[in-house]
Amino acid sequence: MIVLKSDEEIRLMREAGRITARVLQAIRDAARPGVSTAELNFLAEKILEQYGAQPVFKGYSFGNGMPPFPATITACLNEELVHGIPGSRFLRDGDLLTIDCGSRYEGYIGDAAISIGVGDAGDEVQQILQVTEKALHVGIAQARAGNRVGDISAAIQAFVEGEGYNVVRGYGGHGVGRTMHEDPHVPNYGPAHRGAKLRPGMTFAIEPMVLQGKKDVITLPDHWTVVAKDGKLTAHCEHTVAVTENGPEILTLL
Ligand code: MG
Ligand code: MG
């Protein structure tokens, strides 16, 4: 069931989204060679505390006996696509870093992710970053009343594959509101004109996950980190978006 949000609820989601955006901006500024992903996580914790927001990922569990996620952000490097656990790994010059963060403020959630190059990132990194960022905006442009979820999915897939990259199949966008994962699921692939019809008041995360190589992924023994099976580069960008009478509104902006 898709929960439609009132203007007041969307206002609160905009506040939560702004806090998430602040976290990601601070990490963008702090992510230099020699910094550990645990330090970036600590920075995120401090910012949420400062703004009276709570981490959404910390303690999150997919159930089935798997351990809960232990941190405020996910941190992924290079072939790591999503759900990486921050720790003692140090960023190196040329790394591709992906950070995802969910904040809850006054009961509402803002979910967003960025992929960035660390230090002097080379052409391969720059290219996948550009494609992924563009794919996010290609998807957001379809988040209009009267379209269907599949229009977002198909636009992202067509763009990414047209650039010679792949999109992952097992993970994708999702409704967001009082909980992090609501209906509808927003895949990064699939046919246009299918799925739920978009209506004003719908809020969801759009999040292309792009692979330089084949689309197959595996989960590491830590039960969380999802990596490209072929070890090639991956990138992931995300915004929480509201469908409004006047088109899509990105809620996770500064
Ligand atoms: Mg996210
Ligand atoms: Mg998300």
Side-chain angles (χ1 to χ4, degrees):
M1 189 191 70
I2 297 174
V3 182
L4 296 180
K5 277 76 174 184
S6 67
D7 289 351
E8 173 60 11
E9 288 178 295
I10 290 175
R11 187 185 70 76
L12 290 171
M13 289 187 68
R14 204 179 285 124
E15 292 301 313
R18 188 172 293 133
I19 296 167
T20 300
R22 284 188 176 113
V23 168
L24 295 178
Q25 182 60 48
I27 287 175
R28 201 185 275 278
D29 295 341
R32 284 184 296 273
V35 173
S36 74
T37 55
E39 287 172 79
L40 299 178
N41 185 64
F42 183 70
L43 179 61
E45 284 177 4
K46 290 291 128 198
I47 293 169
L48 293 193
E49 208 179 289
Q50 184 186 343
Y51 288 99
Q54 298 83 43
V56 179
F57 298 174
K58 200 170 189 172
Y60 189 87
S61 175
F62 285 120
N64 56 38
M66 292 299 120
F69 193 77
T72 291
I73 56 170
T74 68
C76 293
L77 286 167
N78 305 318
E79 78 283 2
E80 299 169 354
L81 177 65
V82 288
H83 305 163
I85 301 173
S88 55
R89 247 173 111 183
F90 292 94
L91 305 183
R92 292 180 309 185
D93 197 43
D95 274 341
L96 190 166
L97 172 70
T98 299
I99 300 290
D100 196 337
C101 183
S103 318
R104 181 183 282 108
Y105 180 75
E106 301 280 327
Y108 288 87
I109 291 170
D111 185 10
I114 52 169
S115 280
I116 57 174
V118 176
D120 191 13
D123 288 349
E124 270 188 279
V125 169
Q126 296 299 348
Q127 271 173 27
I128 192 171
L129 292 178
Q130 278 169 26
V131 167
T132 308
E133 178 82 29
K134 183 85 193 290
L136 172 58
H137 290 281
V138 161
I140 291 171
Q142 296 297 318
R144 299 182 169 280
N147 274 1
R148 291 181 183 272
V149 168
D151 294 316
I152 299 170
S153 308
I156 290 172
Q157 181 179 19
F159 175 74
V160 171
E161 291 181 355
E163 296 292 318
Y165 293 81
N166 267 310
V167 285
V168 78
R169 299 300 198 263
Y171 304 88
H174 49 90
V176 191
R178 295 185 79 87
T179 57
M180 186 165 61
H181 292 125
E182 297 183 351
D183 288 336
H185 179 53
V186 186
N188 292 313
Y189 70 100
H193 318 307
R194 302 281 176 82
K197 201 165 208 175
L198 304 183
R199 297 170 55 190
M202 281 188 188
T203 51
F204 42 77
I206 298 177
E207 46 183 316
M209 300 164 191
V210 174
L211 299 117
Q212 185 186 39
K214 294 198 171 70
K215 62 182 184 291
D216 310 284
V217 293
I218 50 171
T219 303
L220 297 185
D222 67 14
H223 301 296
W224 280 105
T225 315
V226 176
V227 305
K229 198 174 174 187
D230 60 15
K232 295 199 171 180
L233 288 175
T234 68
H236 171 212
C237 292
E238 175 182 28
H239 274 305
T240 299
V241 172
V243 178
T244 78
E245 304 280 1
N246 306 314
E249 180 190 345
I250 300 175
L251 299 175
T252 35
L253 291 177
L254 286 174

